[in-house]
Amino acid sequence: MDAKDNGQNTERKINFSIWYLIIGILVLSLIRSLFFGGLYEESSEISYSEFKAALRAGKVENVTVSQDQINGVMRDEQAFTTVRVEDPALITELEAYNVDVTGIVTSDGGVGALLGWILPLVLMIAFWYWMLKRMRGGASGGMFSFGKSKARVIQGETSGVTFRDVGGADEAVSELREITEFLKDPTRFQRLGGKMPKGVLLVGPPGTGKTLLARATAGEAGVPFYSISGAEFIEMFVGVGASRVRDLFEQAKKKAPGIIFIDEIDAIGGKRAGAGAMQTHEEREQTLNQLLAEMDGFESTRGVIVLAATNRPEVLDPALLRPGRFDRQIAVDLPDLTGRQQILKVHASQVVLDGDVDLEAIARITPGFSGADLENVVNQAALLAARDGKTTVQMRDFNEAIERVVAGSERRTMAMNEREKRTVAFHEAGHALVASLLPGSDPVHKVTIVPRGRALGYTWQRPTEDRYLMSEEELHGRLAVLLGGRVAEALVFGVVSTGAVDDLARATDLARRMVTEYGMSPNLGPVRLASDPQAFYLGGTHGLDARVSPQTAAQVDSETRRIVEEAVNKAWQLLENYRDVLDELASRLVEHETVEGHEVASVLAERLDHKGSEPDTIRVA
Ligand code: ADP
Ligand code: MG
Ligand code: ZN
């Protein structure tokens, strides 16, 4: 939606400037004719010979001779103008006929030229200046302030968007709420010496409400919102981006507290080394450097917070993510069932719903839809109902609208059927359960079957501490977790699906490294067999050093397979023993789409309380 807005804005801007130009030219010609045309208004243009004839006939009263024109008045009060030709005898003749020569202007530096040309020019420049000022919404600036930022100042109160307009996204909202608290009363947080983050990066797929959340944060805190889109930095003039950044921060700091929002920051914040058109590349780099400098140069204690949004965090320059810059990231994911229902509720409040509309049912059949998609569904449904002349929007309209949005959506929206949903649910439950059962692995933070990117679902483990070393035992555990999804499918359905490609690739890669890099295969011993990654062109096949014998290479393969198979067996054993927990988790996933880590833990704990733990299996590692 915001992209559309931007398009309209630019269009309007272009229209504006064309209109200003046309009006300006009209006004200028009017001024010119009023002020300067008036002097000669009734003068008739005559030829030089006519003028000479009139002169010789004694009809000419007075003349003003300029470099290329002669203006004058006849004795009958008729004014005239003629083109001056090279005529050395003219002056003598004028005197001879007693003509009053009121001024002979021989160069173009005279008063007439001044009035005729310089004044309109000054007016023209003044007009341009005024126009530019108008165009940037009254932002102050010098005469040539092309670099003044186009940040639009929107008072938080008038933007009107609050967290109530955001459906779902509970985690993001609660993190942003902390920021609104700070902006409302910066001193409260500083009393104890705490520092707020300067920069917060909203990361998530398109249409999930990142821009909306940023606006709502400003609206909620009631502070001004200075927003600019990364793409805007790159437009028009070279070298302007950096000064826009400077100005944006200047403005915001002057009126602190406030929020600076840089939408689509990947447009300027892309990695600096890399291909691309030379010019834009340089422009981008300048802008990025200025942004980094500004972020280093201000104190968050003053109540200014920089929010940024991107759907491609992986292309961001690492310098942007360093402490003191965008060091806090907030994930804004595709909404789950509850989230979708809430978003539908937000947008459906704008339309007249029929009694038969069940928002939960709509949410249930729209996994993979973003907030923007759902807004579109509501809108389309309302349009369809209106087209058919209905007074309310019915469930039928929603069903048709969903089809339209699915068909029209660029991102292949996944409308999963129940069987697929069940498969994905068991797969993810398998990962989560193995991860929870193995003592060394990172705790499960969240399991979901909401599709994300290429994955149909994912299990999110959150490390409790920074890890630099992993023991052999932990690596075996990690393998079992990776394979837990596929194993659960095989255990429950007797067949496996294609859903485990990524898991297999990662597991195989890890097992292979355990053999060839970490020396963790007892059969091959603690030797390095992998090729030097920097010297891959020097030979060596399949990632192995060129000096490794074919027999050893075959052994690497079989050892890799053995390690992976061991992990499969371990996962199988665990899931078989805890089959009831697996079923419970999977059915919760089918029902709610997302299961939080603490829920996984409590389901497991309940089971352990009831039946007692089986130490032999839980200790498997
Ligand atoms: P993004 O910036 O992440 O691409 P936007 O904030 O521009 O997404 O969202 C586009 C539109 O979709 C919003 O204006 C809003 O109407 C709707 N939308 C997206 N997410 C939500 C949400 N969580 N709740 C309510 N509406 C949403
Ligand atoms: Mg956006
Ligand atoms: Zn998986």
Side-chain angles (χ1 to χ4, degrees):
M1 194 183 138
D2 56 338
K4 219 189 312 163
D5 275 350
N6 285 345
Q8 277 167 1
N9 276 348
T10 343
E11 213 170 275
R12 213 171 45 218
K13 241 175 256 156
I14 292 167
N15 283 344
F16 265 173
S17 40
I18 288 172
W19 276 112
Y20 278 134
L21 199 70
I22 291 171
I23 293 169
I25 289 168
L26 284 178
V27 166
L28 273 182
S29 44
L30 198 68
I31 289 173
R32 234 185 95 84
S33 63
L34 271 182
F35 282 81
F36 309 105
L39 290 178
Y40 316 115
E41 207 166 33
E42 294 128 36
S43 70
S44 52
E45 180 104 22
I46 56 173
S47 74
Y48 193 72
S49 347
E50 275 178 280
F51 162 67
K52 265 307 189 49
L55 178 65
R56 281 169 195 153
K59 285 186 190 163
V60 178
E61 164 109 32
N62 63 55
V63 291
T64 305
V65 185
S66 62
Q67 194 162 42
D68 43 30
Q69 242 187 6
I70 298 169
N71 304 303
V73 181
M74 303 287 187
R75 291 203 198 280
D76 61 4
E77 304 281 294
Q78 174 64 45
F80 67 91
T81 311
T82 187
V83 175
R84 183 184 169 187
V85 294
E86 198 51 46
D87 185 357
L90 179 65
I91 302 298
T92 353
E93 231 172 316
L94 284 170
E95 277 168 357
Y97 288 97
N98 233 341
V99 174
D100 188 9
V101 183
T102 48
I104 302 180
V105 185
T106 50
S107 81
D108 58 357
V111 179
L114 186 81
L115 289 179
W117 288 109
I118 300 197
L119 200 61
L121 205 68
V122 168
L123 282 172
M124 178 99 97
I125 291 171
F127 180 72
W128 266 115
Y129 173 52
W130 171 77
M131 207 177 87
L132 281 174
K133 259 182 88 155
R134 283 290 306 262
M135 272 175 62
R136 44 190 93 258
S140 61
M143 175 87 109
F144 298 104
S145 61
F146 293 106
K148 281 288 171 190
S149 91
K150 298 210 301 185
R152 289 148 284 174
V153 181
I154 301 170
Q155 294 299 320
E157 294 81 20
T158 55
S159 95
V161 185
T162 64
F163 288 141
R164 253 171 301 151
D165 302 300
V166 181
D170 294 339
E171 270 174 63
V173 167
S174 77
E175 287 199 56
L176 288 170
R177 202 155 251 144
E178 192 182 324
I179 284 164
T180 60
E181 292 300 314
F182 166 72
L183 288 173
K184 275 184 203 157
D185 184 8
T187 47
R188 204 183 91 200
F189 284 79
Q190 288 153 28
R191 249 199 322 261
L192 300 176
K195 265 207 188 115
M196 281 308 283
K198 286 184 193 173
V200 177
L201 186 63
L202 300 167
V203 180
T208 46
K210 299 181 292 297
T211 309
L212 181 72
L213 279 165
R215 280 181 186 286
T217 308
E220 196 78 26
V223 300
F225 182 68
Y226 307 84
S227 93
I228 190 151
S229 155
E232 280 176 66
F233 280 124
I234 314 293
E235 72 184 10
M236 288 215 294
F237 308 105
V238 179
V240 164
S243 64
R244 276 202 191 149
V245 171
R246 196 178 319 123
D247 194 62
L248 192 63
F249 277 80
E250 207 174 277
Q251 274 191 47
K253 279 189 283 193
K254 228 184 284 168
K255 294 189 190 139
I259 286 180
I260 298 176
F261 178 53
I262 304 173
D263 209 351
E264 293 151 40
I265 194 175
D266 39 279
I268 45 164
K271 288 197 180 71
R272 275 172 291 187
M278 279 307 280
Q279 247 177 338
T280 59
H281 180 60
E282 210 166 275
E283 163 75 2
R284 222 186 51 182
E285 191 159 315
Q286 264 185 24
T287 310
L288 176 58
N289 285 338
Q290 186 66 39
L291 178 63
L292 296 178
E294 291 289 347
M295 289 204 69
D296 291 342
F298 84 94
E299 284 300 317
S300 60
T301 46
R302 300 199 35 193
V304 176
I305 282 187
V306 189
L307 294 184
T310 182
N311 46 35
R312 300 187 306 166
E314 69 283 352
V315 307
L316 288 186
D317 196 303
L320 267 174
L321 308 176
R322 236 174 260 153
R325 292 165 183 172
F326 292 101
D327 49 1
R328 189 181 290 193
Q329 294 197 15
I330 297 182
V332 188
D333 281 323
L334 286 176
D336 63 3
L337 183 63
T338 338
R340 290 198 301 274
Q341 201 180 336
Q342 284 168 3
I343 294 170
L344 284 168
K345 208 191 271 170
V346 167
H347 291 288
S349 67
Q350 315 280 329
V351 301
V352 189
L353 291 185
D354 195 89
D356 77 339
V357 174
D358 180 357
L359 293 182
E360 196 197 325
I362 299 170
R364 221 167 253 292
I365 55 177
T366 48
F369 277 49
S370 67
D373 291 332
L374 293 169
E375 182 192 19
N376 198 2
V377 165
V378 175
N379 190 39
Q380 293 278 345
L383 290 178
L384 285 168
R387 189 194 64 185
D388 296 343
K390 295 180 196 163
T391 48
T392 55
V393 187
Q394 296 171 331
M395 198 63 181
R396 280 187 40 208
D397 304 312
F398 275 100
N399 283 328
E400 198 177 335
I402 290 166
E403 266 172 43
R404 284 193 171 194
V405 172
V406 171
S409 177
E410 262 179 54
R411 176 179 51 256
R412 236 195 18 257
T413 320
M414 279 172 270
M416 271 195 274
N417 63 34
E418 280 304 307
R419 236 198 53 209
E420 283 172 326
K421 229 174 169 177
R422 243 170 78 79
T423 308
V424 179
F426 271 103
H427 179 106
E428 296 307 329
H431 283 307
L433 185 52
V434 175
S436 313
L437 286 171
L438 288 176
S441 47
D442 296 327
V444 174
H445 178 66
K446 186 170 144 186
V447 200
T448 174
I449 58 169
V450 176
R452 175 199 232 194
R454 282 199 308 142
L456 295 172
Y458 63 98
T459 299
W460 184 9
Q461 286 171 272
R462 209 179 229 186
T464 39
E465 57 200 340
D466 278 346
R467 300 301 305 268
Y468 303 102
L469 285 175
M470 302 239 349
S471 71
E472 189 176 346
E473 196 186 21
E474 284 163 343
L475 289 178
H476 283 291
R478 177 168 284 197
L479 278 176
V481 173
L482 278 172
L483 294 159
R486 184 187 157 94
V487 168
E489 286 183 47
L491 183 71
V492 175
F493 302 106
V495 287
V496 290
S497 70
T498 53
V501 270
D502 251 13
D503 297 337
L504 281 189
R506 284 170 62 195
T508 310
D509 184 58
L510 177 55
R512 209 176 165 79
R513 286 167 68 168
M514 287 167 74
V515 176
T516 62
E517 287 178 37
Y518 312 141
M520 289 177 179
S521 157
N523 294 343
L524 285 165
V527 288
R528 184 187 171 86
L529 300 165
S531 60
D532 190 343
Q534 264 116 50
F536 67 95
Y537 48 85
L538 291 181
T541 46
H542 312 303
L544 292 182
D545 192 286
R547 290 159 293 189
V548 170
S549 73
Q551 291 91 323
T552 312
Q555 248 181 310
V556 166
D557 289 341
S558 63
E559 278 297 282
T560 304
R561 189 171 330 124
R562 186 185 59 77
I563 290 177
V564 173
E565 274 167 359
E566 257 174 32
V568 167
N569 290 340
K570 190 189 304 166
W572 187 284
Q573 196 189 341
L574 287 172
L575 293 179
E576 211 169 29
N577 282 334
Y578 289 85
R579 176 64 198 268
D580 48 342
V581 182
L582 181 69
D583 289 344
E584 173 64 24
L585 287 180
S587 77
R588 284 187 189 212
L589 276 174
V590 170
E591 180 69 14
H592 305 294
E593 295 186 3
T594 303
V595 174
E596 298 291 331
H598 60 82
E599 225 180 314
V600 177
S602 73
V603 172
L604 189 58
E606 214 172 283
R607 144 74 195 259
L608 295 180
D609 280 349
H610 278 283
K611 295 196 182 168
S613 67
E614 288 122 88
D616 50 334
T617 51
I618 200 166
R619 275 286 128 206
V620 170

